[in-house]
Amino acid sequence: MSIRSRLLRPTMRWFVLGSDNSLEKLRTGLERFGRLTRRNVADWAEVSVGGIPSIRVTPRSEPSNIHILYLHGGAYNLGSPSSHLSLVSQIVMRLGATATVVDYRLAPEHRLPAAFEDAVDAYAWLLDNGAALGIATSAISLAGDSAGAGMALGVCTHAV
């Protein structure tokens, strides 16, 4: 294990968990960790994707024609586009892609399948309105981490 990993794990655990494991504390800690790791991020702006709050992340260089609908992880009850901005920025800058990170509804405030419905609606909105934004439907990819990766797979199978 690298030195960076050895330092990052306990630091993340302390910032995210602390001594209180309540859902609110976990959410606040993950957002704080996202802010702390936010260096050298790509350009970003808050947008609405079919009425769903989102963040559009663009590379500082000339963007390619790739557009990623990114679904953040967090066990469907943690995380946000903001907490995952650093990760998505790295993906965007390395691929030259543009990404839309959806702020889907979280449990337990919103019962399942609310998050999945938001993801499906965001994907459908991008397919329907992408051309007006300069996004070719053939250039839209789905990606995510952890729960978001599972949701991305679900959206793909739902769309078939």
Side-chain angles (χ1 to χ4, degrees):
M1 184 183 301
S2 71
I3 293 173
R4 183 177 176 196
S5 295
R6 284 186 226 169
L7 293 173
L8 188 59
R9 281 186 180 183
T11 303
M12 184 173 174
R13 193 171 290 125
W14 181 78
F15 273 108
V16 174
L17 295 177
S19 59
D20 176 10
N21 290 341
S22 70
L23 183 57
E24 191 57 41
K25 177 71 173 180
L26 292 170
R27 286 178 176 173
T28 303
L30 186 57
E31 292 300 319
R32 184 177 339 139
F33 185 75
R35 282 192 306 275
L36 288 174
T37 59
R38 195 182 295 171
R39 61 175 204 267
N40 195 27
V41 297
D43 295 330
W44 61 278
E46 293 179 3
V47 296
S48 176
V49 176
I52 302 166
S54 305
I55 290 179
R56 175 94 16 90
V57 186
T58 55
R60 293 192 178 119
S61 61
E62 184 66 31
S64 67
N65 66 341
I66 301 170
H67 192 94
I68 301 168
L69 176 61
Y70 191 88
L71 304 168
H72 67 80
Y76 302 105
N77 61 15
L78 299 171
S80 69
S82 179
S83 68
H84 285 67
L85 182 58
S86 182
L87 171 63
V88 176
S89 290
Q90 293 302 312
I91 295 168
V92 161
M93 290 189 295
R94 290 173 192 214
L95 294 176
T98 300
T100 299
V101 189
V102 178
D103 194 10
Y104 58 81
R105 293 174 286 169
L106 300 176
E109 296 87 352
H110 303 281
R111 298 184 64 155
L112 292 174
F116 182 72
E117 289 169 348
D118 288 349
V120 168
D121 290 347
Y123 180 63
W125 189 91
L126 280 174
L127 290 176
D128 292 343
N129 300 286
L133 300 170
I135 303 168
T137 56
S138 61
I140 300 173
S141 300
L142 284 109
D145 65 285
S146 194
M151 195 161 30
L153 180 60
V155 171
C156 288
T157 58
H158 179 77
V160 173

